[in-house]
Amino acid sequence: KNEVEQSPQNLTAQEGEFITINCSYSVGISALHWLQQHPGGGIVSLFMLSSGKKKHGRLIATINIQEKHSSLHITASHPRDSAVYICAVKGDLGGGADGLTFGKGTHLIIQP
Amino acid sequence: DSGVTQTPKHLITATGQRVTLRCSPRSGDLSVYWYQQSLDQGLQFLIQYYNGEERAKGNILERFSAQQFPDLHSELNLSSLELGDSALYFCASSLGRSDTQYFGPGTRLTVL
């Protein structure tokens, strides 16, 4: 069973700061997702990664398959980035199980 | 807007009752996933369907069942409801196994 650990659990920063959220997992995966959940509850998929690095606007996601580790970075953070960021992995089980295993989330607050 | 729709948005019911949650995937998506988010367990994978067939089961209780219809919409049936079943239930869809999952807005179930 894959364990997904995120750090930090909570993060409060000032507007404009560079933010890093980390995710580690315990067994091989076929893909890693970064999700964003706003206070209203809706979940938005930010990135799906299987190797390397992806960038979308001020968000950057990286993954190191050998070290079983991924990071989500936010540059020039803004109060609207305040949300819960969730790391989720899809196992490389080969048996057709595509459901995600989730970390507990990082609660990010960006203060003006 | 992810293109995934879920109804109802909120549902309040009593212990012992049975409810049905409905999900319509994005146009063209063949895979549907059901997830449960509770305060104590976080997000958990329940079950996956692909093109009408059950593909994988996660932490789904025997009191719960699901199906995917020929038009690809899916229903999650929860029976003999208990207080602990109160949670947010999300549906997600993807085109295929290796594609990004898009989440619906969720159904908030409250069991009194």
Side-chain angles (χ1 to χ4, degrees):
Chain A
K1 183 184 167 183
N2 219 340
E3 302 291 335
V4 181
E5 299 282 340
Q6 279 186 245
S7 63
Q9 270 189 287
N10 298 285
L11 179 55
T12 300
Q14 295 298 121
E15 183 173 355
E17 285 188 40
F18 182 81
I19 303 298
T20 295
I21 299 170
N22 296 299
C23 175
S24 299
Y25 50 93
S26 57
V27 298
I29 63 169
S30 59
L32 181 142
H33 296 246
W34 281 103
L35 309 170
Q36 180 192 57
Q37 186 170 29
H38 277 283
I43 295 176
V44 174
S45 182
L46 299 175
F47 294 103
M48 186 177 76
L49 294 160
S50 53
S51 65
K53 177 178 171 178
K54 286 190 176 179
K55 185 175 190 287
H56 185 255
R58 295 179 295 106
L59 301 178
I60 303 165
T62 64
I63 189 167
N64 185 317
I65 296 293
Q66 286 75 28
E67 294 187 6
K68 297 187 176 58
H69 180 269
S70 175
S71 293
L72 176 69
H73 306 286
I74 306 174
T75 62
S77 58
H78 190 276
R80 66 174 173 265
D81 297 325
S82 299
V84 177
Y85 292 84
I86 302 168
C87 171
V89 301
K90 188 170 85 167
D92 190 12
L93 302 174
D98 301 323
L100 300 176
T101 301
F102 299 86
K104 291 192 188 317
T106 294
H107 190 187
L108 175 65
I109 297 172
I110 304 296
Q111 294 177 335
Chain B
D1 183 1
S2 67
V4 179
T5 60
Q6 288 187 249
T7 57
K9 211 168 181 174
H10 301 277
L11 197 46
I12 300 174
T13 188
T15 54
Q17 295 298 305
R18 172 189 167 95
V19 297
T20 297
L21 313 183
R22 183 189 167 104
C23 167
S24 292
R26 290 187 329 150
S27 178
D29 283 359
L30 299 176
S31 260
V32 169
Y33 312 78
W34 285 98
Y35 296 99
Q36 178 196 59
Q37 185 176 36
S38 60
L39 281 173
D40 53 343
Q41 302 278 358
L43 272 161
Q44 291 190 98
F45 166 61
L46 296 179
I47 196 163
Q48 177 198 1
Y49 281 82
Y50 179 81
N51 204 20
E53 301 287 328
E54 182 186 301
R55 188 163 200 122
K57 273 186 172 178
N59 297 323
I60 189 165
L61 300 171
E62 283 194 16
R63 300 183 284 109
F64 296 179
S65 65
Q67 56 186 78
Q68 187 179 27
F69 295 86
D71 67 353
L72 301 178
H73 91 271
S74 178
E75 292 180 357
L76 179 67
N77 301 296
L78 315 176
S79 61
S80 303
L81 285 167
E82 302 175 359
L83 295 177
D85 297 327
S86 295
L88 258 174
Y89 291 84
F90 288 100
C91 164
S93 74
S94 66
L95 178 59
R97 288 191 59 205
S98 303
D99 298 298
T100 297
Q101 294 184 27
Y102 294 89
F103 285 75
T107 292
R108 186 173 294 277
L109 173 67
T110 303
V111 182
L112 301 174

